[in-house]
């Protein structure tokens, strides 16, 4: 059920923003025959959440948008392989 599907990783953490954990997931995605579409690293800054809602900065919104666009493209391209 995992083969030929796209995957994006949203990671969060301190200084490295969870990017080390995201790097460790890439071989797992590959073993599952999934295609990695990108990462969106998020820091744990106090102003990241406003009134209970995540409020990322422009860089994070841009990274998320690019990853979601890539996932949409991969879905179209990989779909025939799942048939």
């Amino acid at each position: 059920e995992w083969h030929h599907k796209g995957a994006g990783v949203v990671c969060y953490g301190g200084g490295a923003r969870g990017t080390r954990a995201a790097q460790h997931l890439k071989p797992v995605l590959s073993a599952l025959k999934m295609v990695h579409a990108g990462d969106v690293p998020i820091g744990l800054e106090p102003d990241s959440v406003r009134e209970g809602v995540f409020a990322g900065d422009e860089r994070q919104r841009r990274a998320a948008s690019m990853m979601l666009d890539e996932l949409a493209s991969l879905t179209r391209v990989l779909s025939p392989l799942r048939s």
Side-chain angles (χ1 to χ4, degrees):
E1 95 185 60
W2 299 98
H3 290 194
H4 308 302
K5 291 185 179 177
V9 178
V10 176
C11 49
Y12 67 94
R17 297 178 176 238
T19 54
R20 291 186 200 113
Q23 290 300 319
H24 287 283
L25 280 175
K26 289 178 184 178
V28 174
L29 296 174
S30 180
L32 292 170
K33 301 204 183 324
M34 297 181 79
V35 179
H36 181 250
D39 303 324
V40 180
I42 299 171
L44 294 179
E45 293 85 19
D47 62 342
S48 294
V49 178
R50 295 187 199 119
E51 298 180 19
V53 177
F54 175 72
D57 61 24
E58 181 58 32
R59 180 180 38 122
Q60 293 164 339
R61 285 190 292 275
R62 201 170 41 247
S65 179
M66 288 171 48
M67 183 184 70
L68 291 171
D69 289 346
E70 181 70 14
L71 279 171
S73 295
L74 286 170
T75 298
R76 286 188 299 275
V77 171
L78 296 173
S79 180
L81 297 174
R82 292 192 303 270
S83 300

